[in-house]
Amino acid sequence: MAFAVSAQSHFAIKPLQRNQFKNSSSPRTFFCSCFKSRPDSSYLRSKELTLLAPKPCLVSRHRQKFQVGVGTGGELADSGEVSDSAASDAPESFSWSSVILPFVFPALGGLLFGYDIGATSGATLSLQSPALSGTTWFNLSPVQLGLVVSGSLYGALLGSTLVYGIADFLGRRRELIIAAGLYLLGSLITGCAPDLNILLLGRLLYGLGIGLAMHGAPLYIAETCPSQIRGTLISLKELFIVLGILLGFSVGSFEIDVVGGWRYMYGFGTPVALLMGLGMWSLPPSPRWLLLRAVQGKGALQEYKEKAMLALSKLRGRPPGDKLSEKMVDDALLSVQAAYEDEKSGGNFLEVFQGPNLKALTIGGGLVLFQQITGQPSVLYYAGSILQTAGFSAAADATRVSVIIGVFKLLMTWVAVAKVDDLGRRPLLIGGVSGIALSLFLLSAYYKFLGGFPLVAVGALLLYVGCYQISFGPISWLMVSEIFPLRTRGRGISLAVLTNFGSNAIVTFAFSPLKEYLGAENLFLLFGAIALVSLLFVVLIVPETKGLSLEEIESKILK
């Protein structure tokens, strides 16, 4: 869908240029979501995303380097006077033990997002079972079921919108603590819900936590980790979302035969959310955010500098106020000031709908829209229901096959990470979307005249998941991160994220009523037709950006 993130397993894959600042006074900034998939509000301001680039300097062009996740030009560790190549020759020294906790606790926000996707697949089976629901209101209408499934997505959409105006005030650490609290409250309310209305309230609160976590987690990790391992940690953070989906499928398979098992499936997020909240409480604020507040005039400059030095020393496991942290903070402050001044001179919001920016928005927005309306949210959220109607009548059998699908999804994610920069964007998109269309037509055929062959349904679901993970899943966000011109990148990505969350929520909500109204065979036929339209969009509209720097994309493709 991911959120972001498309909202399911959404690996946000991006290129990092070593030449990120060529004759420019503004830092090159990149962002992704799921968020997959991840909603970055506050128009993904460069002051929020900028990881404190070095002072502007002329550097030579280097070959494009592929990494996964959120990244930006420059690091806190880089001196403002040192060229990119020099910085790479003298990487920041750090201890792995000091890096683990500042990564793991924010990454739990991604795991809880993915867990909700996987758990909901089994919870919908348990909740609607007369024997296993443990409630008197198990006979949900298609609209009610759609609200249960998509409730967290509407909460995530609301959360990513609300954080637009308060992210600078909260900071990444407090944002993640609040997200953990919402996760905790949402899990408890959902697991203990006495009726449908309370259940929906819990789903909404959990979704608010998703919206905040998917904004704050990638920023905190990217702003606090050493530069030389940033790509690795961000990619692992995104992997946590996929692991969360697999964990949700697994818990569902264990609890599916328990009366009221859906309560345990949703309630399992409570201890994880508590661990995330306590862990974030123990961590210091992001040094970059502290410097940003100083530049914004929210307090005494020297006071915020001292706080930033103490935070950086704690993150690196060094004595408080050590000389290296002091020098790094001084260098970074100059970059933050330059970035903040550059942002204030930017154009208005409508600029993203004009000229080359509109072309970029058409490409990026179109990809994340087709990512959702080809049915991807429905396949994950309703995997258990689809398998049950496809011959695996026992809920336990359906949830176990869902686990297999989750494992396969994880494996195909690694394939995408390994091959996208070798093969290019268009070949993977064209091949993957073609496979998605084929799998949807196979599902339609199964429901129409192949009902005696349940393995057709399993094979079609595996084909769909595999093709999605090598195409729309990661590449949509890769294209979004690189296709927008620098001046409008934050605003463009923000629109793409909102498009992703909105279309995800609508498709997830509408699946159950449409399945009831059209029949499963016609619904998957409709999704297949949309997939063919998306394939035509990719062939005719989407360019190949493999091997191109951001400057070349802007000058050669968007002009």
Side-chain angles (χ1 to χ4, degrees), residues 150-172:
S150 63
S152 63
L153 299 179
Y154 286 111
L157 181 62
L158 179 61
S160 64
T161 303
L162 290 176
V163 80
Y164 182 101
I166 62 174
D168 273 355
F169 169 74
L170 290 177
R172 292 73 165 108

Side-chain angles (χ1 to χ4, degrees), residues 260-477:
W262 62 272
R263 297 185 184 275
Y264 299 104
M265 296 177 203
Y266 281 133
F268 183 82
T270 302
V272 182
L274 181 62
L275 178 62
M276 174 186 170
L278 293 175
M280 288 308 306
W281 188 273
S282 69
L283 295 175
S286 161
R288 295 167 174 85
W289 174 75
L290 292 169
L291 294 178
L292 174 62
R293 298 298 280 173
V295 170
Q296 291 174 330
K298 303 301 181 181
L301 177 62
Q302 188 58 36
E303 178 185 355
Y304 273 105
K305 280 184 61 178
E306 291 175 359
K307 289 181 178 179
M309 283 186 284
L310 288 174
L312 183 60
S313 298
K314 184 176 181 179
L315 287 166
R316 296 295 185 269
R318 296 193 286 255
D322 65 290
K323 294 298 182 181
L324 178 57
S325 296
E326 181 179 356
K327 181 179 184 302
M328 291 163 64
V329 167
D330 286 338
D331 292 338
L333 180 60
L334 299 176
S335 299
V336 174
Q337 289 171 331
Y340 186 65
E341 290 301 319
D342 179 74
E343 182 199 339
K344 290 197 298 184
S345 66
N348 60 59
F349 188 82
L350 293 179
E351 187 179 1
V352 76
F353 298 102
Q354 300 167 358
N357 302 303
L358 178 59
K359 183 176 180 180
L361 181 61
T362 300
I363 296 169
L367 283 173
V368 296
L369 177 64
F370 281 119
Q371 181 190 66
Q372 302 306 311
I373 64 175
T374 49
Q376 191 269 157
S378 306
V379 169
L380 286 181
Y381 279 107
Y382 293 96
S385 300
I386 293 171
L387 289 168
Q388 202 171 37
T389 59
F392 296 88
S393 55
D397 292 337
T399 54
R400 290 186 187 110
V401 177
S402 294
V403 173
I404 296 174
I405 292 175
V407 172
F408 184 66
K409 185 178 183 67
L410 186 65
L411 294 175
M412 294 307 294
T413 297
W414 282 113
V415 172
V417 171
K419 293 298 181 183
V420 69
D421 219 37
D422 294 332
L423 300 178
R425 287 68 162 146
R426 278 175 58 85
L428 285 176
L429 276 173
I430 292 172
V433 175
S434 299
I436 287 173
L438 176 60
S439 67
L440 290 168
F441 289 134
L442 280 174
L443 281 171
S444 177
Y446 173 80
Y447 283 106
K448 259 190 183 322
F449 48 79
L450 295 177
F453 303 93
L455 288 180
V456 172
V458 177
L461 284 175
L462 289 173
L463 178 63
Y464 185 101
V465 168
C467 289
Y468 176 86
Q469 286 308 124
I470 63 170
S471 58
F472 275 148
I475 297 178
S476 294
W477 292 107

Side-chain angles (χ1 to χ4, degrees), residues 101-112 163 166-167 170-184 208-224 237 272-281 283-286:
L101 294 183
F103 159 74
V104 168
F105 291 132
L108 289 177
L111 184 140
L112 285 168
V163 80
I166 62 174
L170 290 177
R172 292 73 165 108
R173 174 177 172 269
R174 280 188 291 187
E175 189 177 345
L176 288 168
I177 292 173
I178 294 172
L182 289 168
Y183 275 140
L184 178 66
L208 286 172
I210 293 174
L212 268 65
M214 290 301 96
H215 175 270
L219 289 175
Y220 189 88
I221 295 171
E223 290 184 359
T224 57
K237 180 264 171 189
V272 182
L274 181 62
L275 178 62
M276 174 186 170
L278 293 175
M280 288 308 306
W281 188 273
L283 295 175
S286 161

Side-chain angles (χ1 to χ4, degrees), residues 21 26-31 40 44-54 70-76 172 219 222-223 230 286-289 292 332 335-340 342-343 486:
F21 305 97
S26 60
R28 294 287 181 194
T29 307
F30 307 90
F31 183 82
D40 171 40
L44 304 176
R45 299 170 182 163
S46 72
K47 63 185 173 188
E48 280 195 306
L49 295 177
T50 302
L51 305 189
L52 309 183
V70 177
T72 66
E75 330 298 348
L76 187 60
R172 292 73 165 108
L219 289 175
E223 290 184 359
R230 175 167 297 131
S286 161
R288 295 167 174 85
W289 174 75
L292 174 62
S335 299
V336 174
Q337 289 171 331
Y340 186 65
D342 179 74
E343 182 199 339
L486 173 63

